[in-house]
Amino acid sequence: EATAGNALFIDRKYAEALEQYRAAIASWDHPAIRFNVVRCLIQLDRPVEAADNLKLALKYGAAPLEDTVYTEALSYQKLLANQIAEV
């Protein structure tokens, strides 16, 4: 499911990729898969959901993520924080 999501993401089929990643998370909620959900939600202009999922992706810190992915996640965290206002 995650592999299928990756192929769809590369083809810029973000909604379809998101479905695949969510199905993968149902089996194994791994931070790297969760971060792929974030990438899709950002592309679909859904920053609030992206921020919520990013918190889950970063829940265990850098350990479960590749260094470049962790750096990207921190960048998204800062960008999303600037886009979302607390109510």
Side-chain angles (χ1 to χ4, degrees):
E1 293 159 336
T3 304
N6 292 343
L8 290 164
F9 187 86
I10 290 168
D11 288 342
R12 297 183 177 167
K13 296 179 179 176
Y14 304 118
E16 294 91 339
L18 179 60
E19 289 177 28
Q20 292 296 315
Y21 292 137
R22 287 193 167 149
I25 285 171
S27 298
W28 185 31
D29 193 353
H30 189 279
I33 301 170
R34 183 68 67 171
F35 186 63
N36 287 336
V37 168
V38 172
R39 288 174 169 150
C40 289
L41 291 168
I42 288 170
Q43 292 296 327
L44 295 168
D45 198 26
R46 292 160 60 178
V48 174
E49 287 178 78
D52 291 344
N53 279 276
L54 186 55
K55 286 177 190 172
L56 296 171
L58 292 172
K59 183 177 179 179
Y60 302 104
L65 301 170
E66 294 177 16
D67 289 342
T68 55
V69 172
Y70 184 68
T71 300
E72 184 182 357
L74 294 178
S75 296
Y76 281 152
Q77 189 177 44
K78 184 175 180 180
L79 290 170
L80 289 168
N82 288 332
Q83 289 182 8
I84 301 168
E86 294 286 329
V87 179

